[in-house]
Amino acid sequence: MNVPEDVAKTLREGRSFVIATHSPVDGDALGSSLALHHSLRAAGKESVVVIEAYIPSAYRFLAGTDELLTLEDAASVPEADVLVGLDAGPDRLGRAYAGRANCKTFLNLDHHISNSGDAGIAWVDPKASATGEMLLPALEAAGLPITPDVAEALLTAIVTDTGRFCYSCTTAHTFEVAASLVRRGANPDRIHQALYNSTPLPVLALRGRAVEGIELRANGELGLLTVDAGIGQDLGVREEHVKDLIDVVNCVEGVVVAVLIRGLTDGGTKVSLRSNHDSADVAAFAAKHGGGGHQRAAGFSAEVSPAELRSKMLVGLEELVAAAR
């Protein structure tokens, strides 16, 4: 993986950094952000990770989650040499990118095909399985240290974005990077226990309810789950657990395209899309609705109710599935 020289130079020569990613965060977003933060700190540089969203409890085993700076509505982005946007284009960096005037340079590392890479110093590689996979060679090219905390955060990023090395984005290079991270101190068992073997019972109850609400169409190849805001409140689950219900739909036998349409507590609707076939490009579908993502994992938001959005999308979704046959 060839790291652009201007990317390595920016990381090497910058003295102070603000690191930002998309909201809500996932394993790749948070893992990559914390990995860069730890590496910069170990090199004697100033670094802060800014966020706008709650950090899911499953990720709090990662070192540094107690050091994150939450950007409230009136909070300003700290002054720094470099604002680094990870795992997202400028349009998904929220208040961090809006306040970029406090930083001299904008550096963007991402692997989403929907990122045009036309802002600041950018390295966008859609062939990479995760931004974490890109970040390791970027740190090496810049001569920055790879400590055990860096390695564990990067392995978390890769494990989550590859579906535990099962998604089609996983390559031989992905395994090579993972092996390098284990040699440098990452603990696969600790990551597995925290992320996949510590599910609270109320979350399992929520998933049970979700199974009952799955709607199968197009001969069982289109799986839909539509939920209103507030689902699971009586169980005490968080929004992070509701958004993960897309995985419940996606694992149903025969489903080619899985869709989660969920109402948001502050209004509007969020749609998560998954594809089990390369010819069903959910990123292209999401782009038509102002969103983006990967060919087989994408999403978007809309300012209408879940039921209304489902009705508007249904024909297009059935056409997407039909095209994959």
Side-chain angles (χ1 to χ4, degrees):
M1 187 174 286
N2 296 319
V3 180
E5 176 53 33
D6 54 353
V7 171
K9 181 179 179 181
T10 302
L11 292 173
R12 183 170 54 248
E13 297 184 356
R15 299 306 306 167
S16 57
F17 295 78
V18 172
I19 302 166
T21 188
H22 57 77
S23 177
V25 297
D26 58 20
D28 191 17
L30 183 61
S32 296
S33 297
L34 288 173
L36 178 57
H37 172 68
H38 291 312
S39 184
L40 293 170
R41 284 281 187 90
K45 300 174 185 285
E46 297 178 12
S47 171
V48 61
V49 179
V50 298
I51 59 167
E52 294 184 33
Y54 169 85
I55 300 301
S57 55
Y59 295 119
R60 292 192 175 273
F61 75 98
L62 289 171
T65 54
D66 57 343
E67 302 174 6
L68 304 174
L69 174 64
T70 301
L71 283 181
E72 305 293 351
D73 290 340
S76 60
V77 176
E79 293 185 1
D81 292 336
V82 185
L83 170 63
V84 185
L86 293 175
D87 199 44
D91 59 323
R92 292 202 63 203
L93 295 177
R95 288 190 287 273
Y97 188 71
R100 65 190 180 281
N102 285 345
C103 303
K104 299 174 184 176
T105 302
F106 176 59
L107 174 63
N108 192 197
L109 273 66
D110 188 19
H111 72 130
H112 290 92
I113 195 170
S114 54
N115 187 344
S116 63
D118 58 1
I121 299 170
W123 180 27
V124 179
D125 185 0
K127 294 181 180 179
S129 70
T131 299
E133 183 179 307
M134 300 169 61
L135 192 54
L136 177 63
L139 295 176
E140 292 174 331
L144 295 174
I146 312 297
T147 66
D149 284 343
V150 173
E152 188 132 301
L154 287 179
L155 186 57
T156 299
I158 294 169
V159 165
T160 52
D161 243 32
T162 61
R164 288 178 271 185
F165 303 100
C166 292
Y167 294 162
S168 62
C169 61
T170 307
T171 65
H173 179 69
T174 307
F175 286 107
E176 291 164 358
V177 170
S180 174
L181 294 172
V182 172
R183 285 193 292 268
R184 287 165 160 171
N187 187 330
D189 180 61
R190 199 162 84 101
I191 294 171
H192 170 76
Q193 293 298 328
L195 297 182
Y196 306 111
N197 212 26
S198 302
T199 305
L201 188 59
V203 175
L204 294 178
L206 175 69
R207 294 175 185 173
R209 291 180 184 178
V211 170
E212 296 177 354
I214 293 175
E215 174 188 3
L216 296 178
R217 300 181 65 92
N219 298 317
E221 294 182 333
L222 173 63
L224 292 154
L225 177 60
T226 306
V227 298
D228 291 325
I231 182 176
Q233 281 186 349
D234 60 317
L235 298 172
V237 301
R238 295 182 178 273
E239 186 176 344
E240 66 192 79
H241 302 124
V242 177
K243 71 180 181 63
D244 288 342
L245 293 178
I246 182 63
D247 298 325
V248 176
V249 186
N250 197 39
C251 72
V252 175
E253 181 182 10
V255 165
V256 175
V257 174
V259 186
L260 171 63
I261 308 166
R262 60 185 176 94
L264 303 176
T265 54
D266 56 353
T269 301
K270 173 71 176 180
V271 176
S272 298
L273 302 151
R274 298 292 184 269
S275 168
N276 289 311
H277 199 294
D278 284 339
S279 60
D281 187 347
V282 293
F285 183 89
K288 294 178 182 178
H289 296 270
H294 302 291
Q295 184 178 9
R296 294 177 62 170
F300 64 92
S301 300
E303 297 300 324
V304 297
S305 71
E308 183 179 350
L309 188 55
R310 175 199 169 279
S311 297
K312 289 182 176 180
M313 292 193 303
L314 197 53
V315 172
L317 288 169
E318 290 179 338
E319 291 175 347
L320 178 65
V321 170
R325 293 181 184 139

